[in-house]
Amino acid sequence: MTKPDQSQPAKRSKKAVLMPKQEPEIRAHNFDEVALGYTEEQALEEAERCLNCPKPQCIAGCPVELDIPEFIRLIKERKYEEAIKKIKEKNSLPAICGRVCPQEEQCQKLCVLCKIGEPTAIGRLERFAADYELKKGVETLPLPKPTGKKVAIIGAGPAGLTAAADLAKLGHEVVIFEALHVSGGVLVYGIPEFRLPKKIVEAEVNYIKKLGVKIRTDVLIGRLHTIEELFKKGFDAVFIGSGAGLPQFLRISGENFGGIYSANEFLIRVNLMKSYLFPEYDTPIRIGKKVAVIGGGNVAMDSARSALRLGADEVWIVYRRSREELPARAEEIENAEEEGIRFQFLTNPIRFIGDEHGWVKGMECIRMELGEPDASGRRRPSPIKGSEFVMDVDTVVVAVGRTPNPIIQSTTKGLETTKWGTIIADEKTGQTSIEGVFAGGDIVTGEATVISAMGAGKRAARAIHEYLMKK
Amino acid sequence: MYKIVAKRELAPKIKLFEVDAPEIAAKAGPGQFVIIRQHETGERVPLTITDYDREKGTITIVFNEVGKTTKELGTFEEGDCIRNIAGPLGNPSEIQKFGRVLCVGGGVMVAPLYLVAKALREAGNELVVVVGARIKELLIFEKEMKEIADEFYVTTDDGSEGYQGLEFLTDILAKKKFDRVVVMGPVIMMKTVSEMTKPFNVKTVVTLTPIMVDGMGMCGACRVTVKGETKFGCVDGPEFDGHQVDFDELIKRQRVYLAEERLASVFYEKLGGLASDEA
């Protein structure tokens, strides 16, 4: 084995520059952001690792087709303002994406540096550029000449915000109708403060408002106005980005005992309603000593880490497959482990046990084993006979997925849906079965990621623009 | 922001607001509810719509000051604004000509029952109306109900006015054949009435108001067991078949946050509204 040449400084580290984080023992007791972001020096050092490939692969991995090597090149040259401008050509929510995108599954997975070590930390650099601009103050763009066309967007989540921004940049009048009292969708009701601070979401929503987009909160389309009525009110096209907001339950005995939350309820209370600040904020949350979170995705990690911060003694992730199959973002699994979240793999609950007040006190589980891969490509778990055991728990969070919100489908005549309740829409354009009505994000695909919803919003905006200009 | 255009005290601690909300007024129906959030640090609270005026563009809500939120809401005056109101939510009450309908209302829910009863009357039903409260001072909408009822009864828990308790309902049910019973009131009252009507085999509809957060089907806090199946109060209801509802489970679920509710109430009353100062 040859020794590395010590006289020449290593040109390129095999490892990405680490991002500073709050120490686990401290952050496990607060709701402040865990990852602190690169300093300028760290960003420059990491940017230097990018090879600026002549034929970059990373771009193909990005659902919004960000020109990654170019913005990294601008960071290298310390042209941070130009870097964020470059990013914003394609992505209107960069500070959010830099924090919550599963980069390891997308752009970074295709980075050529993977062959020799860790890929360029694209997400961290995107966050650096976005945070730089937020700190400095976001520049207002000159608004384009109005086209006279009006678009209604249903839902102020990642898909809707992206579609709205792109359409506004093209000169269309855009109104977003949001059912909740605040904009952001899953970014505000789902993803916790410690992973995505609300002020970041607010700042990016404000940027979209600066583009001329109007946002009306407290409007549940389907109840207050139907899609048909939106057209009568003068809108020329409608984009549905209403998301997958309905909680799935396990449908096992005892699921309605007190202390058993859907992940949606748990996270809505904690995030949207800020119940971690109760009684300063009015919405309460009750957390016990021993918490079990069922599921292995990002929502499960978010719930478990929130439970810990609310003061639970012990928090368990109970997942029916093994560690390898955990669908959560790698960084969040690592963060959860560092904070002391414990895992019960290959375990599935089969019934809940309650006390005399109807409060959960235990959970009967069964051990699982993995068989052949199923439709999702992951190995199918099946129960091991006779392996039942009881876990003592006093709080349970069920994080086994969300399904599409049915209100629009059930109030819109002629809107075709799948048997899972998702809206049928063209993958490239978002066109639904009704002329002038487009859809994208979780309402079409079922529960997926923030960035894939943004990609769908982007493609739909392009198609809506074409549709409007032909009309 | 939604402006309160009129405020009335109907009984001690029971208040009525007429609120400027033209879009909601245009769409509201009997039996539907709104979710209100009074200020930035407030919680989302469901309140059943008790009336609407499509021309004036207002909706009416009636609430009982029981917890921190409703006590604070009670301090709002005409001209003040409620931060958020979302609605109309839930399915409207089923209104058609059934024949003879028995309407039983208790406590603050007599107010939204009046709206439902009025619609049933307009649909051509014969109405027998029972309104109740704990004590006579808490009776509301007596006069209005009396006007639209073919037969009218009052009941109080302590017998301070009208009948005492609900036992007399059995006589009413035995004397006349009813085509439908509509009950809106405290869970325990809806349970009792449902049990009483069951032997008479008359369809009994109850309006459930379980704990909810978003009111749009997202949180699942409002889940109730109906005919052995889990339903969401907000999107599947709020009306359900009283003979199919698991009331005992619902009563337990209503108590989940009792300790926190008391704490918030004490904080509010003893410390003079910690949250409202911040807002």
Side-chain angles (χ1 to χ4, degrees):
Chain A
M1 218 170 109
T2 50
K3 270 189 168 176
D5 188 352
Q6 299 286 334
S7 60
Q8 290 262 328
K11 246 197 147 178
R12 196 162 272 107
S13 165
K14 285 184 182 173
K15 286 200 171 271
V17 176
L18 285 174
M19 181 163 51
K21 290 196 280 193
Q22 274 197 73
E23 289 303 322
E25 51 277 15
I26 294 168
R27 71 183 194 235
H29 304 289
N30 69 51
F31 273 85
D32 300 337
E33 192 170 17
V34 167
L36 302 171
Y38 277 158
T39 60
E40 186 176 358
E41 292 70 38
Q42 288 167 328
L44 288 168
E45 190 187 337
E46 183 58 26
E48 278 303 329
R49 292 183 67 239
C50 174
L51 295 171
N52 282 92
C53 308
K55 282 185 189 160
Q57 302 299 303
C58 49
I59 300 177
C62 177
V64 297
E65 305 147 20
L66 209 62
D67 190 346
I68 295 162
E70 183 59 15
F71 95 73
I72 295 181
R73 187 184 66 77
L74 290 163
I75 291 180
K76 275 187 209 176
E77 293 175 9
R78 298 176 188 246
K79 293 176 180 159
Y80 309 127
E81 277 164 52
E82 283 175 50
I84 188 64
K85 258 187 210 149
K86 182 52 71 189
I87 293 171
K88 280 194 166 172
E89 281 174 14
K90 292 290 170 80
N91 184 348
S92 299
L93 309 170
I96 293 169
C97 288
R99 286 170 167 82
V100 304
C101 264
Q103 290 96 1
E104 70 270 16
E105 294 294 325
Q106 298 178 158
C107 51
Q108 291 176 192
K109 193 182 185 179
L110 301 174
C111 176
V112 71
L113 288 183
C114 286
K115 290 184 184 139
I116 58 153
E118 288 179 358
T120 308
I122 299 166
R124 294 173 190 171
L125 290 171
E126 182 183 24
R127 172 182 166 160
F128 169 77
D131 286 1
Y132 176 87
E133 191 198 31
L134 289 182
K135 228 176 275 165
K136 201 183 97 313
V138 179
E139 211 178 299
T140 323
L141 295 168
L143 294 180
K145 205 171 142 259
T147 60
K149 305 283 184 186
K150 231 175 137 179
V151 187
I153 308 270
I154 304 170
L161 289 171
T162 302
D166 283 14
L167 286 162
K169 282 181 192 166
L170 291 162
H172 303 298
E173 188 184 338
V174 182
V175 182
I176 304 183
F177 296 97
E178 166 57 44
L180 290 173
H181 57 261
V182 57
S183 302
V186 73
L187 306 170
V188 292
Y189 77 73
I191 303 176
E193 181 75 16
F194 57 82
R195 197 149 77 80
L196 179 63
K198 302 290 164 291
K199 67 174 199 307
I200 297 287
V201 181
E202 209 185 305
E204 304 228 301
V205 167
N206 280 339
Y207 164 72
I208 286 168
K209 285 185 189 162
K210 276 186 185 165
L211 296 172
V213 172
K214 289 193 186 68
I215 304 183
R216 292 209 42 214
T217 52
D218 295 327
V219 180
L220 180 63
I221 296 296
R223 287 275 186 225
L224 195 65
H225 310 300
T226 61
I227 287 182
E228 215 182 319
E229 285 163 350
L230 291 176
F231 282 111
K232 279 188 199 144
K233 281 176 190 290
F235 287 98
D236 301 295
V238 174
F239 173 76
I240 309 169
S242 50
L246 254 65
Q248 261 180 338
F249 284 95
L250 296 158
R251 294 169 182 269
I252 59 176
S253 153
E255 202 157 27
N256 293 345
F257 283 133
I260 303 177
Y261 298 93
S262 72
N264 255 11
E265 179 185 355
F266 188 73
L267 293 174
I268 285 174
R269 283 181 185 275
V270 178
N271 296 320
L272 182 71
M273 307 311 296
K274 296 198 168 67
S275 60
Y276 63 95
L277 298 173
F278 176 85
E280 187 192 325
Y281 279 72
D282 292 342
T283 307
I285 185 119
R286 168 88 60 97
I287 194 88
K289 288 188 160 50
K290 193 167 168 184
V291 181
V293 177
I294 321 297
N298 285 320
V299 175
M301 298 301 148
D302 287 346
S303 303
R305 296 170 68 198
S306 297
L308 195 72
R309 284 160 171 77
L310 288 165
D313 291 343
E314 239 178 80
V315 183
W316 290 84
I317 293 259
V318 177
Y319 181 52
R320 61 196 183 126
R321 292 182 163 102
S322 68
R323 195 184 191 290
E324 267 171 57
E325 287 82 15
L326 278 176
R329 203 169 169 253
E331 199 173 309
E332 306 312 333
I333 299 169
E334 195 183 293
N335 283 336
E337 282 175 331
E338 283 176 8
E339 288 164 15
I341 303 292
R342 300 159 79 173
F343 292 81
Q344 277 278 6
F345 291 115
L346 294 165
T347 303
N348 211 22
I350 50 177
R351 94 186 153 96
F352 296 104
I353 304 156
D355 67 12
E356 67 275 22
H357 307 293
W359 197 269
V360 65
K361 66 169 185 183
M363 178 168 89
E364 189 174 341
C365 298
I366 193 160
R367 297 285 183 197
M368 310 292 279
E369 60 188 349
L370 295 179
E372 293 301 305
D374 63 11
S376 73
R378 295 174 302 175
R379 293 173 65 196
R380 186 193 300 275
S382 54
I384 302 171
K385 236 182 164 179
S387 66
E388 294 86 348
F389 69 102
V390 173
M391 265 180 96
D392 294 329
V393 291
D394 53 11
T395 306
V396 175
V397 180
V398 180
V400 295
R402 300 172 175 133
T403 54
N405 208 314
I407 294 177
I408 288 170
Q409 295 88 309
S410 66
T411 54
T412 312
K413 250 186 248 154
L415 188 64
E416 283 175 22
T417 55
T418 65
K419 63 177 172 181
W420 299 282
T422 51
I423 295 174
I424 298 173
D426 185 280
E427 208 183 311
K428 285 205 178 71
T429 63
Q431 174 68 55
T432 68
S433 55
I434 302 175
E435 196 199 319
V437 178
F438 299 77
D442 286 3
I443 193 67
V444 171
T445 57
E447 193 181 5
T449 59
V450 167
I451 188 72
S452 68
M454 289 176 57
K458 199 163 199 62
R459 291 190 296 277
R462 213 175 282 159
I464 291 169
H465 177 64
E466 262 174 45
Y467 169 77
L468 291 175
M469 298 325 278
K470 259 191 270 174
K471 228 176 107 175
Chain B
M1 299 291 254
Y2 299 82
K3 196 170 172 182
I4 299 163
V5 295
K7 177 185 179 178
R8 273 200 290 146
E9 184 166 294
L10 302 177
K13 294 189 172 180
I14 300 181
K15 300 209 164 121
L16 174 149
F17 283 166
E18 191 181 343
V19 186
D20 196 30
E23 286 185 318
I24 302 174
K27 272 297 173 74
Q32 287 188 297
F33 65 94
V34 289
I35 291 264
I36 70 145
R37 195 178 70 125
Q38 50 203 17
H39 49 62
E40 274 310 309
T41 58
E43 58 181 337
R44 293 172 66 95
V45 182
L47 289 173
T48 312
I49 297 168
T50 64
D51 207 354
Y52 47 83
D53 187 328
R54 301 209 207 278
E55 276 172 29
K56 246 170 100 184
T58 60
I59 59 163
T60 306
I61 48 175
V62 173
F63 58 94
N64 197 358
E65 295 175 7
V66 282
K68 190 252 164 178
T69 296
T70 41
K71 280 174 192 165
E72 193 181 15
L73 192 62
T75 66
F76 282 42
E77 299 297 338
E78 280 174 20
D80 287 346
C81 284
I82 296 171
R83 182 81 186 78
N84 301 95
I85 304 184
L89 302 173
N91 298 299
S93 190
E94 196 188 336
I95 305 290
Q96 51 171 285
K97 187 167 179 184
F98 298 105
R100 185 182 294 133
V101 182
L102 173 62
C103 294
V104 187
V108 72
M109 290 299 280
V110 173
L113 178 65
Y114 174 62
L115 186 61
V116 173
K118 245 194 328 188
L120 286 167
R121 167 103 244 175
E122 278 158 24
N125 291 287
E126 181 187 332
L127 291 188
V128 176
V129 177
V130 176
V131 300
R134 253 186 321 112
I135 51 173
K136 73 172 183 190
E137 287 76 17
L138 296 176
L139 284 164
I140 58 170
F141 277 80
E142 261 183 288
K143 208 180 96 225
E144 291 88 340
M145 280 292 208
K146 207 171 175 177
E147 269 170 27
I148 60 163
D150 294 283
E151 248 177 74
F152 180 72
Y153 301 92
V154 172
T155 169
T156 46
D157 288 358
D158 65 350
S160 52
E161 191 173 330
Y163 288 90
Q164 181 167 12
L166 291 165
E167 289 79 51
F168 76 101
L169 279 181
T170 308
D171 293 340
I172 295 176
L173 286 159
K175 258 190 264 164
K176 279 184 176 166
K177 193 193 159 294
F178 287 92
D179 300 292
R180 193 176 182 88
V181 178
V182 179
V183 200
M184 290 169 91
V187 181
I188 188 73
M189 191 204 91
M190 293 193 287
K191 180 189 176 194
T192 307
V193 175
S194 298
E195 280 166 0
M196 292 173 92
T197 61
K198 203 162 184 187
F200 295 96
N201 204 21
V202 47
K203 170 92 181 223
T204 301
V205 173
V206 295
T207 292
L208 303 185
T209 52
I211 291 175
M212 50 180 84
V213 188
D214 61 283
M216 297 162 184
M218 290 173 68
C219 75
C222 64
R223 56 197 195 272
V224 287
T225 303
V226 182
K227 210 178 173 180
E229 257 183 70
T230 294
K231 297 279 180 196
F232 286 1
C234 63
V235 287
D236 298 320
E239 275 193 352
F240 291 99
D241 182 341
H243 296 150
Q244 310 279 4
V245 172
D246 183 342
F247 284 107
D248 294 334
E249 179 188 272
L250 179 61
I251 289 167
K252 283 179 184 151
R253 289 188 63 81
Q254 297 278 60
R255 292 183 182 150
V256 165
Y257 289 106
L258 221 52
E260 286 79 4
E261 282 161 16
R262 283 194 186 129
L263 178 72
S265 217
V266 168
F267 260 96
Y268 176 66
E269 291 193 322
K270 308 283 179 210
L271 299 177
L274 180 74
S276 52
D277 291 345
E278 305 271 331

